Amino acid sequence: MLCVTHSRHDLIRGPFGCFCVEKLGYRWTHVIGGIMMMTAFATSSFAQTLSQLFFTYSILGGLGFCFCLTSYINAVIEHFLDEKALAFGLISSAFGIASFVFPLYFEALIEPYSWRGVMLITSGFFGNMIVSGLLFYPVDASPPLPSFSCRKQKQIDTRTSPSSLILEGSNIYKDGLQTSITSILLANESRSTSIDATRRKHTDDILNNDQSQAIKNNKNDCSDLTHVDKKLSYFQVTKILASSWSFYLVVIHNTVLYMGIFIVLSLTTARASYDLNLTEEQAAQIVSTFGINAIFRILYGLLSRWKVVKTYNVYFSCFSLAGVLTLLSVFAKSFTMQIVYGLCWGAMLAGLTHYPVVVYEIFGSEFFNIAFGYLEVMHGIGVITGTIIGGILFDVTGSSVSTFIFAGLSLLVGSFIMPIGLWLTGQIKLLDF
C-alpha cells in the first residue's frame, strides 16, 4: 500500500505540481498542499473501505505531498544562488530525521491508539505545513527579503523614451526642474529635419546599446533571476525538453535508479522478517537506520563547498557505492550485519540531496521547474516497476537474494548511464559545474 501510494503521488506531482507552482507560486502551492495532507490523514482515519482509503490517503495525500515538495524545491532554487547543495543538504536532512523517527513513532502509537488514531494524530503534524508555507517569501515580493548576496534584479527602465533621454543628455533637467519642451522646439526650429532625424536615430542606437549592455551586465550579476526575454510557456518548454537528448538520459537514469532504491526501502522489512527470521521490532530498527542520511545530507552539502569537489561526482559516487553495498548485503545474515548495512546504505542515500542541483545545472533556471516535474514521473514509474519486479523475484525464488542482487545492479546501472550517455552524445560538458 505504501509503495503504491508513493508511486501515485510521484506520478501526479511531476507535471501537475510544477504547473501549479508556475501559475500560483511556491508559497500558495505549499499552503494548499498542507491543507490537502492534513485533510487526507484526518479523513483516512474514518475510512471504512479500502477504496475510500485509497482515495483519501493515496490520491489526496499524494497530491498534497506533490504540492509541498515541488514548492520547497523551487523556493530553495530561487533563494539560494551560490550554496544550493548546502541549502538542500540542511533542509532535506529533515527527510532523514523523519525516516528514523516515524517507523518508531508508528510502532509506539499503533497499539494503544490503533491505526485510525495514529492517522488522526499525524494529520495534526501536517497542519504545520500550512504555516510553514506562509513563510515562503517570494524573491520578487515587496518589500524585498534582506539578503547578503545578489538577489534583486537590477531595474532597467525600458519605458523611458528616446526623446526624454535626449532632454536628459542635453542638461535640460536641472535641479529637478524640467524646462519647457515648447521653448526648446522654438529655439531649434531653424534646424533641418534631416539633422533631427539623424540625431534621433543616433540617440536610439545609443539607447539600445546602453540597454543591451545593461541587460548583459545584469545577467552577469544575477543570471538566475533575470528574464529579459518573454517567458516561455509551459508547453513551449515541454517541446524544447522533448527534443533534448540530455532530458531522455536523465529520464532513464531516474527510472532505473529508483527501481533499485525502492526495492531496498520497501522489501528490507520483508527480508528481515521472512528471510532472516528477525522480529518485527528488529525489522523496524533496521529500516530506521536509513535515517542516518539526515547527518550525511548536511555533510555532503558542506563537502560541495570545496571547489575541488564536484557536486555530480558526489551524487554518482554515492549511488554507485549504494549498489555495491546492496549486492554485498546478501551475505549479511545477522541482525548486527543488517544494522551495519542499513547505516552504510542510508549514508549513501543522502546523495539524493544533490539531485535537484544536478537537474538545475543541466537544464538551467528557465527550464528547471518543468523539467523537474516531468523527471519526477520517472521516479513513480521506477517505484512501480521496481517493487513489482522485486516482489515477483521474492515470491518465485522464495528468497531475497535475487531481489537484492537486481536492486544492486539497478543502482549501478542508474549511476553510470547518465555520465556515460552524456559522454557518448558529446554533452559531457553539461556536468562541468
Side-chain angles (χ1 to χ4, degrees):
M1 181 67 180
L2 291 176
C3 294
V4 173
T5 300
H6 191 282
S7 64
R8 282 200 65 87
H9 69 58
D10 257 323
L11 288 167
I12 296 173
R13 82 182 179 199
F16 188 68
C18 292
F19 179 81
C20 291
V21 172
E22 284 281 311
K23 298 299 182 182
L24 303 176
Y26 47 76
R27 169 187 269 183
W28 295 111
T29 301
H30 195 281
V31 170
I32 295 172
I35 295 173
M36 286 183 174
M37 293 187 71
M38 182 180 67
T39 304
F41 274 77
T43 54
S44 295
S45 65
F46 299 101
Q48 301 296 324
T49 63
L50 187 60
S51 59
Q52 293 175 355
L53 189 63
F54 181 80
F55 174 78
T56 57
Y57 182 67
S58 297
I59 297 180
L60 185 60
L63 188 59
F65 184 85
C66 131
F67 277 45
C68 292
L69 183 68
T70 53
S71 298
Y72 111 81
I73 288 177
N74 278 277
V76 173
I77 286 293
E78 194 166 301
H79 278 277
F80 296 89
L81 304 182
D82 302 322
E83 303 289 349
K84 290 184 177 65
L86 178 59
F88 276 112
L90 292 170
I91 297 172
S92 63
S93 63
F95 286 107
I97 297 174
S99 64
F100 176 79
V101 172
F102 268 80
L104 304 178
Y105 159 80
F106 281 107
E107 187 72 23
L109 294 183
I110 198 167
E111 184 174 349
Y113 297 105
S114 77
W115 69 269
R116 295 182 185 275
V118 175
M119 296 289 278
L120 192 59
I121 294 172
T122 307
S123 68
F125 284 108
F126 288 119
N128 295 298
M129 303 294 283
I130 303 171
V131 180
S132 60
L134 293 173
L135 298 177
F136 284 5
Y137 199 83
V139 294
D140 57 350
S142 180
L145 185 70
S147 59
F148 297 97
S149 61
C150 179
R151 291 289 187 273
K152 293 175 63 181
Q153 180 180 349
K154 290 183 178 180
Q155 298 297 324
I156 302 175
D157 191 1
T158 58
R159 296 173 296 174
T160 307
S161 63
S163 59
S164 64
L165 289 182
I166 294 174
L167 296 175
E168 289 179 332
S170 303
N171 296 323
I172 295 174
Y173 283 85
K174 295 180 180 180
D175 300 328
L177 300 176
Q178 182 179 1
T179 306
S180 172
I181 298 178
T182 305
S183 62
I184 300 295
L185 294 176
L186 292 173
N188 296 324
E189 63 181 353
S190 60
R191 297 183 181 181
S192 63
T193 56
S194 61
I195 296 176
D196 291 339
T198 303
R199 181 173 298 174
R200 284 195 299 270
K201 182 178 184 302
H202 177 66
T203 307
D204 289 344
D205 292 339
I206 294 175
L207 172 64
N208 293 332
N209 291 335
D210 290 342
Q211 288 181 351
S212 299
Q213 185 63 34
I215 290 170
K216 181 179 179 181
N217 294 337
N218 193 40
K219 284 184 176 180
N220 293 333
D221 293 339
C222 297
S223 58
D224 288 331
L225 300 180
T226 304
H227 301 287
V228 296
D229 295 327
K230 183 179 180 181
K231 184 176 178 63
L232 296 174
S233 68
Y234 189 94
F235 300 103
Q236 286 175 321
V237 174
T238 299
K239 185 177 180 180
I240 294 173
L241 291 174
S243 61
S244 171
W245 279 105
S246 58
F247 176 73
Y248 292 107
L249 288 172
V250 184
V251 163
I252 299 172
H253 161 78
N254 282 11
T255 304
V256 178
L257 188 72
Y258 265 70
M259 287 172 64
I261 289 175
F262 268 84
I263 286 176
V264 176
L265 291 177
S266 61
L267 296 179
T268 293
T269 303
R271 176 169 70 171
S273 299
Y274 300 107
D275 209 14
L276 303 179
N277 297 320
L278 300 177
T279 64
E280 293 183 0
E281 290 77 9
Q282 289 176 321
Q285 291 172 11
I286 294 172
V287 174
S288 67
T289 58
F290 295 156
I292 194 68
N293 74 83
I295 299 174
F296 280 86
R297 285 174 185 263
I298 300 175
L299 294 178
Y300 293 158
L302 293 172
L303 187 65
S304 66
R305 301 188 68 186
W306 293 358
K307 294 183 178 180
V308 295
V309 177
K310 300 294 186 180
T311 301
Y312 68 88
N313 281 336
V314 176
Y315 176 72
F316 293 121
S317 298
C318 283
F319 290 106
S320 299
L321 291 174
V324 173
L325 289 171
T326 303
L327 291 174
L328 295 176
S329 69
V330 299
F331 302 105
K333 300 296 184 180
S334 65
F335 173 70
T336 303
M337 292 300 296
Q338 283 291 311
I339 289 291
V340 173
Y341 162 69
L343 292 171
C344 295
W345 194 86
M348 298 301 103
L349 184 65
L352 282 176
T353 191
H354 287 332
Y355 169 73
V357 183
V358 172
V359 175
Y360 175 83
E361 297 294 345
I362 290 177
F363 297 103
S365 59
E366 189 71 26
F367 299 93
F368 168 77
N369 179 45
I370 299 174
F372 183 84
Y374 285 118
L375 292 173
E376 288 296 282
V377 176
M378 299 302 108
H379 289 176
I381 294 176
V383 172
I384 293 174
T385 55
T387 51
I388 290 175
I389 294 173
I392 291 174
L393 290 174
F394 203 117
D395 292 338
V396 171
T397 61
S399 173
S400 63
V401 174
S402 58
T403 299
F404 279 79
I405 289 177
F406 176 79
L409 293 176
S410 296
L411 289 167
L412 288 173
V413 172
S415 300
F416 287 107
I417 196 168
M418 190 198 302
I420 292 176
L422 292 175
W423 178 72
L424 291 176
T425 57
Q427 299 177 351
I428 193 63
K429 62 182 180 179
L430 293 175
L431 293 180
D432 188 19
F433 56 87

